[in-house]
């Protein structure tokens, strides 16, 4: 973190910033949210992605249209990547590696764009590890924008470990304890079933694809600064560790909280129907359930969640955007009729969470969903499935901001009884009051718009000061 605040964002000339996120909506949306906040200050944004992804992004306010230019880069065709697959949501998890291979072939069009547009900064994601060198050769500054929290990046470690140059963590069991470089007491680590799933899903790379850890390490190594979607008030010790590990500026950009009306219109009348149902429920009684766009629930997982909701006897609203052909238990919908809703199309998560009838949130512990849940003060019950979600769950557990459903340590299995008991604990029982109180305490920090505005001003002031230094050297 920068100890001395840079000049105010209004000081100095306006910037041109290129945004280049990874091809997942959980990445593109934070990049877009940051783009909007920067554009509101009068700076120009070029947002680069593939045509289909840009067409699927939420509409931006008309006042920002002159400042945000969406640049469509056709995705190169490669073998084994299905036609029209341009984002992780379009693919089974095991095929995402082919998307990364196609993404790596965007080097030439991006180089051409940077040469012709000559931006001041490029904000890039973890995946394009080759981009910092391209930008440096063109005398363009780069920022690695980590759309996750500082704790995850701190847990992953220094560049030599990330790039595999130090033989420190070689097997799954090495990831279930805090690493040697964390100098403070912490429980932040993966559970065995979480890291086993990561190894199984090939995130560690194979003969065809560059490992994610190498991509992150090389990206951090090549960039001028690291920007993190978090705030130093929430995890100060992890921000300090990142500066120690990487010996370069590490800036918080804020939590980029969604507003209750994010999502624009009524999406075919869906919100009216949802709002009507929520309006009939008692205040704080409903548990909202959503596991993001990429979790692929097995039949057993789907069944145990459904029957756990039934056992809990709580009203619920479940957004179930199925990516696999699994079925709800026989008779489930009839038995919960009137008490619960299973919603199978798009739903405006911030709007739902902001509704007074919602008291709890059963979530996969994606960082964006955690920010949504905490800013609206909803009790968090967590059930991680992929990548960073286990680390996020530990952060919540450590801070008493969320309760994890008990699971088998090796295979991650869980049972309907533990789902029901966990929901009731956080939602209604006296023992769960600590979780309800803690999340309400933290909601002020997570939803503070003025604080978010100051983080953006601080970031822009730093970017402008670096530009001035670069121009005079």
């Amino acid at each position: 973190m920068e100890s001395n605040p840079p000049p105010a964002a209004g000081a100095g000339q306006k910037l041109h910033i290129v945004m280049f996120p990874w091809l997942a909506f959980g990445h593109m949306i934070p990049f877009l949210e940051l783009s909007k906040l920067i554009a509101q200050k009068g700076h120009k944004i070029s947002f680069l992605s593939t045509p289909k992804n840009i067409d699927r992004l939420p509409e931006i306010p008309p006042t920002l249209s002159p400042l945000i230019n969406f640049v469509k880069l056709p995705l190169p065709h490669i073998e084994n990547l299905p036609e029209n697959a341009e984002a992780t949501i379009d693919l089974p998890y095991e095929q995402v590696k082919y998307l990364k291979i196609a993404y790596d072939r965007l080097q030439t069009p991006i180089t051409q764009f940077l040469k012709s547009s000559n931006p001041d900064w490029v904000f890039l994601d973890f995946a394009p590890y080759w981009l910092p060198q391209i930008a440096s050769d063109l005398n363009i500054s780069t920022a690695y924008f980590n759309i996750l929290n500082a704790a995850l990046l701190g847990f992953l470690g220094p560049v030599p470990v990330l790039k595999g140059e130090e033989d420190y963590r070689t097997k799954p069991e090495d990831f279930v304890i805090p690493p040697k470089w964390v100098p403070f007491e912490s429980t932040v680590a993966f559970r065995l079933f979480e890291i086993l799933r990561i190894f199984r899903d090939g995130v560690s790379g194979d003969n065809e694809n560059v490992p994610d850890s190498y991509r992150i390490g090389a990206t951090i190594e090549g960039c001028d600064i690291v920007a993190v979607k978090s705030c130093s008030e929430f995890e100060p010790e992890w921000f300090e560790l990142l500066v120690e590990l990487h010996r370069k500026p590490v800036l918080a950009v804020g939590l980029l909280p969604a507003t209750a009306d994010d999502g624009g219109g009524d999406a075919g009348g869906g919100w009216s129907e949802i709002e009507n149902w929520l309006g009939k429920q008692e205040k704080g009684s409903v548990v909202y359930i959503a596991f993001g766009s990429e979790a692929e629930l097995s039949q057993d997982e789907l069944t145990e969640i459904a029957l756990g909701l039934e056992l809990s006897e709580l009203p619920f609203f479940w957004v179930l955007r199925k990516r696999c052909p699994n079925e709800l238990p026989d008779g489930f919908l009839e038995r919960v009729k009137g008490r619960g809703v299973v919603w199978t199309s798009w739903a405006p998560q911030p709007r739902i969470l902001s509704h007074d009838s919602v008291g709890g949130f059963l979530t996969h512990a994606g960082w964006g969903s955690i920010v949504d849940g905490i800013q609206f003060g909803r009790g968090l019950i967590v059930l991680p499935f992929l990548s960073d979600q286990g680390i996020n769950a530990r952060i919540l557990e450590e801070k008493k901001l969320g309760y994890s459903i008990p699971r088998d340590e090796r295979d991650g299995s869980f049972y309907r009884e533990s789902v029901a008991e966990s929901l009731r604990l956080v939602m209604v029982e006296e023992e769960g009051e600590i979780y309800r109180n803690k999340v309400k305490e933290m909601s002020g920090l997570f939803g503070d718009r003025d604080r978010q505005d100051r983080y953006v001003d601080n970031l822009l002031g730093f970017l402008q000061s670096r530009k001035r230094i670069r121009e005079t050297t």
Side-chain angles (χ1 to χ4, degrees), residues 197 287-298 301-306 309 317-323 328 343 349 361-367 369 381-386 389 405 407 414 419 423:
R197 184 173 288 195
V287 58
Y288 169 65
I289 305 103
F291 301 116
S293 59
E294 298 187 24
E296 298 179 8
L297 303 182
S298 69
E301 289 167 340
L302 186 67
T303 298
E304 296 305 314
I305 291 167
L309 288 168
F317 190 93
W318 185 3
V319 178
L320 183 61
R321 297 178 68 180
K322 295 191 290 184
R323 287 165 57 94
L328 290 165
W343 190 263
Q349 180 162 291
F361 183 13
L362 173 53
T363 171
H364 59 310
W367 184 229
S369 288
I381 308 95
V382 295
L383 193 64
F385 291 101
L386 302 169
Q389 295 162 13
I405 292 174
R407 300 169 78 165
F414 54 90
V419 173
L423 290 171

Side-chain angles (χ1 to χ4, degrees), residues 285 287 309-310 312-316 339 420 423-424 427-428:
S285 67
V287 58
L309 288 168
E310 185 178 349
S312 76
E313 300 183 344
L314 295 167
F316 66 86
R339 172 165 71 84
L423 290 171
R424 293 196 62 81
M427 292 283 290
V428 297

Side-chain angles (χ1 to χ4, degrees), residues 4-17:
N4 297 314
Q13 64 191 104
K14 299 304 182 183
L15 299 170
H16 176 199
I17 299 172

Side-chain angles (χ1 to χ4, degrees), residues 251-290:
L251 286 87
V253 304
L255 293 153
L256 309 181
T259 58
D261 59 357
D262 272 3
D266 198 15
W271 171 241
S272 299
E273 187 179 341
I274 295 167
E275 186 179 34
N276 183 51
W277 185 84
L278 290 172
K280 295 175 182 176
Q281 313 307 314
E282 291 183 16
K283 184 176 180 179
S285 67
V286 175
V287 58
Y288 169 65
I289 305 103

Side-chain angles (χ1 to χ4, degrees), residues 176 191-198 384 394 407-413:
V176 302
R191 291 174 64 185
L192 186 57
F193 71 87
E194 293 164 348
I195 195 66
L196 284 172
R197 184 173 288 195
I198 289 171
R394 296 306 91 69
R407 300 169 78 165
D408 181 275
E409 202 59 41
R410 186 144 201 99
D411 65 12
S413 60

